[in-house]
Amino acid sequence: MDCIDTKRLNESNMSDRAWSGCAVLFLGCSSPAHNLLSVYKDEQGKFILFKVIKLTLIDSAGGLDGYEILKLHDADPFLGVELKFMTMPCCQRFLESYACGSLLQFLSQHASRLLTLPDGVAMETQLKAGVHTLDHSLQDLGICLDHVQQSQPVRLRDDEVTQLEQQLQNSYGPPSQPTQEVPKNCFLFQKRVFDDRPLTSADQQRFAAHVGRDWKRVGRALQKNCRALKGPAIENLAYEYEREGLYEQAYQLLGRFIQSEGRSAKLGRLISALEETKMITMAEVMLGIQPRD
């Protein structure tokens, strides 16, 4: 990326397997009337705010793997989100997204949608690792990664975060059987009916931008009914596009599915694969809807 010097990263010999580190993301709001700490102290508001944070991290870190939320805490006037990164590539994607403003954009979008913030209310962020404010070093990714790695976790995941994670999973519930006949060319997701249409290039781009490391899991679910993805096809895609990275691997996977299945490569089949692999949040991203409370 143009906004970050990746030279230090390319010269590094750090082992991804042994890599870990911590950072604290501070979140705030420009409007006193929509203070995030006030939202956090309300039980229902806390749950919705946790959804906002989870969706923002999925967008900025490229998926669900490689990191976890350890704790939420009052850091007046901010809400502190303590993060543990288990792989360097995940932390790198997060830092790149933060440095170039994408994370703030994702946060603003999800907060506006889920917290129903009025137009003109701006979100604010700050990022620290230990005593270092990373906002001052964002032009050098290597320094930021060093600071994050040097800041090792001093706690396990907080019980409150565990409860919020469980509450989020329970809110989705198991796929329910339709109580009414689903119209032709439609499918059911979380008791709502959606038009079943052929997948488009826009779907392909959205899938690639959000699924991250989980693209193989989705591919294995799709391969059950797609000849082009059977056998070694998925591993071959991983090898062929390894240099291009996760986005291109995921993009090519769904492209292979669309090319092979033609007009039968429909949105409903992708959503079913995401449900099968328990990637409910990803399904909601593909459908452009928010999780239900």
Side-chain angles (χ1 to χ4, degrees):
M1 299 180 65
D2 293 338
C3 58
I4 294 179
D5 179 7
T6 59
K7 182 178 180 181
R8 283 169 55 93
L9 176 64
N10 294 332
E11 294 175 349
S12 173
N13 292 319
M14 286 186 291
S15 170
D16 183 29
R17 294 179 182 176
W19 201 95
S20 67
C22 280
V24 181
L25 177 64
F26 295 94
L27 308 177
C29 186
S30 64
S31 170
H34 299 85
N35 185 282
L36 294 187
L37 286 178
S38 298
V39 177
Y40 171 67
K41 292 173 183 178
D42 174 79
E43 284 304 311
Q44 181 61 24
K46 179 185 297 184
F47 179 52
I48 297 174
L49 185 56
F50 187 73
K51 292 180 184 178
V52 170
I53 296 169
K54 288 284 288 187
L55 290 172
T56 300
L57 291 174
I58 288 170
D59 287 337
S60 58
L64 297 166
D65 294 334
Y67 64 91
E68 66 173 329
I69 299 173
L70 294 180
K71 184 178 178 61
L72 305 179
H73 65 269
D74 185 336
D76 193 20
F78 292 99
L79 174 69
V81 183
E82 187 171 338
L83 301 170
K84 176 184 176 182
F85 294 96
M86 286 82 82
T87 69
M88 186 176 66
C90 175
C91 186
Q92 176 191 345
R93 290 191 297 271
F94 172 84
L95 289 171
E96 289 175 343
S97 178
Y98 184 88
C100 291
S102 296
L103 184 145
L104 182 59
Q105 182 179 1
F106 293 138
L107 174 65
S108 298
Q109 291 172 348
H110 294 308
S112 177
R113 180 164 56 91
L114 294 176
L115 299 175
T116 61
L117 298 180
D119 293 340
V121 174
M123 303 301 294
E124 301 171 345
T125 60
Q126 189 178 88
L127 186 63
K128 290 186 176 182
V131 299
H132 302 283
T133 300
L134 300 187
D135 301 72
H136 302 155
S137 307
L138 292 174
Q139 294 301 317
D140 192 326
L141 180 59
I143 288 179
C144 292
L145 285 169
D146 287 345
H147 289 330
V148 173
Q149 188 182 27
Q150 290 165 11
S151 178
Q152 289 296 310
V154 296
R155 63 167 60 88
L156 298 175
R157 187 167 68 176
D158 190 72
D159 289 342
E160 179 185 67
V161 174
T162 300
Q163 293 170 4
L164 287 168
E165 291 276 13
Q166 188 61 54
Q167 186 180 356
L168 186 60
Q169 290 300 318
N170 292 342
S171 73
Y172 301 129
S176 58
Q177 296 296 322
T179 56
Q180 74 282 347
E181 183 179 353
V182 179
K184 187 177 180 181
N185 297 324
C186 293
F187 65 92
L188 201 67
F189 175 74
Q190 295 186 354
K191 299 182 180 181
R192 282 174 279 186
V193 176
F194 294 88
D195 291 333
D196 199 9
R197 54 171 177 75
L199 291 167
T200 65
S201 59
D203 296 319
Q204 196 175 353
Q205 293 168 8
R206 177 178 290 187
F207 176 79
H210 292 85
V211 73
R213 291 174 176 268
D214 294 314
W215 70 271
K216 284 188 180 181
R217 291 172 53 201
V218 183
R220 294 187 187 102
L222 289 172
Q223 75 178 176
K224 296 176 181 178
N225 296 300
C226 177
R227 186 183 299 272
L229 296 180
K230 291 187 179 296
I234 294 175
E235 291 303 324
N236 289 344
L237 281 173
Y239 177 78
E240 184 177 354
Y241 295 97
E242 183 178 10
R243 287 181 176 273
E244 287 80 358
L246 292 172
Y247 178 95
E248 190 64 25
Q249 289 171 329
Y251 185 87
Q252 293 296 331
L253 170 76
L254 203 58
R256 184 73 59 87
F257 176 70
I258 294 171
Q259 183 180 20
S260 171
E261 299 295 298
R263 294 191 63 80
S264 294
K266 292 191 173 182
L267 180 61
R269 291 178 66 181
L270 177 59
I271 298 301
S272 294
L274 292 170
E275 287 186 290
E276 180 180 333
T277 51
K278 310 300 182 185
M279 297 175 62
I280 304 301
T281 299
M282 182 65 199
E284 292 172 335
V285 169
M286 294 303 302
L287 292 169
I289 61 174
Q290 67 183 56
R292 60 185 174 83
D293 296 336

